[in-house]
Amino acid sequence: MLPQTEPSLTTLREQYVAAQLAGNRREALRLLVDEGLLRGVPLQVLHLEVIQLAQYEIGRLWQENIISVAQEHLATSISQLALAHLYRHLPRDPENGKVVMVSCVEGELHEMGPRMASDFLEMAGFDVRFLGASVPPEHLARMLREVRPDLLALSVTMTYHLPQLREAVKHAREAVPGVPIAVGGLAFRWAPVLEEDLGVSFFGRDARELVATACRTLGV
Ligand code: B12
């Protein structure tokens, strides 16, 4: 077994990014499974330190115009495949009976983050309804009335979607008064909103922090 020191994870991440950029899906999955999972790297670490950080690196390369939009799409589709593939290997705590609904606000297309967050919540025993990208507030409200979750988690990456967050919160409050609402996503790193103003709570910077705060808030 490889000792999972920081350097070995860094190497794994670099190799994963190289496989993404080469469009090599098989190699990307081999790295995660054979060099990661089977060598004892915890799944949570693979998610946060390999896939998430690889996505941030892809974003940097794209922003600096080193790679094209097409290469970013190619790379991201590999990470989507990876999350789907790893899903069946998720270690799961016993069910805790709490339902969490996870959704992007309207217009928000960055759904990898909330998808990963949903997987972490599931590992912690939550029953998760993940709605994916860009959910119009009226339809979010309709689903909330049907499902009546114990917690609603809203994801926002682009700061220009903060007005849509406001709308989503308003509709959610009307649909299920009193439902706790968690917010997160990169927008809050770049422009922390007035949580008090919205009456919502920032639940953490990544999937692990979301789980910790959700457990505390819901008393599980
Ligand atoms: C892939 C990608 C896309 C894909 C998304 C595909 C998909 N299916 O998700 C597409 C091509 C659609 C896209 C589009 C755009 N993108 Co983009 N995208 C990215 C990229 C490269 C990776 C995102 C990703 O996969 N992250 C990995 C996940 C796992 O991490 P995460 O999102 O941070 O999620 C974690 C935490 O934030 C947190 N979290 C997330 N949600 C929640 C919710 C709660 C409640 C909590 C507690 C926590 C939490 O937990 C997650 C897991 O740990 C980023 C680079 C980056 N630095 O993020 C740029 C980036 C976010 N995009 C950017 C831009 C500019 C755009 C576009 C405007 C480009 C354009 N001109 O069209 C559009 C906007 C689209 C829209 N309307 O939303 C910029 C934003 C810059 C800025 N400061 O505003 C970035 C940073 C790239 C860059 N460096 O320039 N993008």
Side-chain angles (χ1 to χ4, degrees), residues 47-48 51-52 55-60 62-63 69 72-73 76 80 102 107-114 116-117 120 153-161 182-186 189-190 202-210:
H47 276 78
L48 294 179
I51 301 173
Q52 179 168 317
Q55 285 299 109
Y56 289 176
E57 173 62 4
I58 295 296
R60 184 189 69 78
W62 170 28
Q63 187 177 27
V69 168
E72 171 280 314
H73 282 20
T76 298
Q80 285 173 319
V102 183
E108 184 60 69
L109 297 182
H110 297 92
E111 50 83 34
M112 284 274 301
M116 190 179 283
F120 272 59
L154 293 170
S155 183
V156 192
T157 294
M158 303 307 297
T159 49
Y160 58 66
H161 288 144
V183 295
L186 283 182
R189 282 200 217 171
W190 295 323
F202 175 60
F203 262 49
R205 283 162 305 169
D206 64 24
R208 194 178 270 145
E209 290 185 12
L210 167 62

Side-chain angles (χ1 to χ4, degrees), residues 31-167:
L31 287 164
L32 293 172
V33 175
D34 295 6
E35 308 297 330
L37 261 192
L38 297 179
R39 286 176 185 257
V41 185
L43 233 133
Q44 289 91 335
V45 173
L46 283 178
H47 276 78
L48 294 179
E49 316 252 335
V50 180
I51 301 173
Q52 179 168 317
L53 291 185
Q55 285 299 109
Y56 289 176
E57 173 62 4
I58 295 296
R60 184 189 69 78
L61 295 171
W62 170 28
Q63 187 177 27
E64 294 179 11
N65 215 10
I66 296 167
I67 63 169
S68 66
V69 168
Q71 278 175 298
E72 171 280 314
H73 282 20
L74 180 72
T76 298
S77 75
I78 288 184
S79 287
Q80 285 173 319
L81 177 71
L83 287 194
H85 185 80
L86 294 177
Y87 178 78
R88 58 187 277 268
H89 299 284
L90 299 182
R92 287 177 167 83
D93 287 348
E95 291 175 13
N96 61 30
K98 303 286 183 191
V99 178
V100 184
M101 191 177 286
V102 183
S103 177
C104 289
V105 300
E106 188 168 32
E108 184 60 69
L109 297 182
H110 297 92
E111 50 83 34
M112 284 274 301
R115 177 192 292 230
M116 190 179 283
S118 298
D119 289 353
F120 272 59
L121 287 163
E122 237 184 87
M123 283 191 263
F126 291 96
D127 181 1
V128 180
R129 306 299 150 87
F130 172 52
L131 309 189
S134 188
V135 180
E138 309 77 33
H139 293 269
L140 176 70
R142 197 163 140 187
M143 175 78 85
L144 280 166
R145 276 193 291 269
E146 283 160 20
V147 176
R148 305 214 148 253
D150 298 286
L151 176 72
L152 169 65
L154 293 170
S155 183
V156 192
T157 294
M158 303 307 297
T159 49
Y160 58 66
H161 288 144
L162 290 174
Q164 285 81 346
L165 170 65
R166 204 173 279 280
E167 274 303 297

Side-chain angles (χ1 to χ4, degrees), residues 191-213:
V193 282
L194 300 167
E195 293 173 42
E196 256 177 53
D197 172 36
L198 276 174
V200 293
S201 304
F202 175 60
F203 262 49
R205 283 162 305 169
D206 64 24
R208 194 178 270 145
E209 290 185 12
L210 167 62
V211 168
T213 322

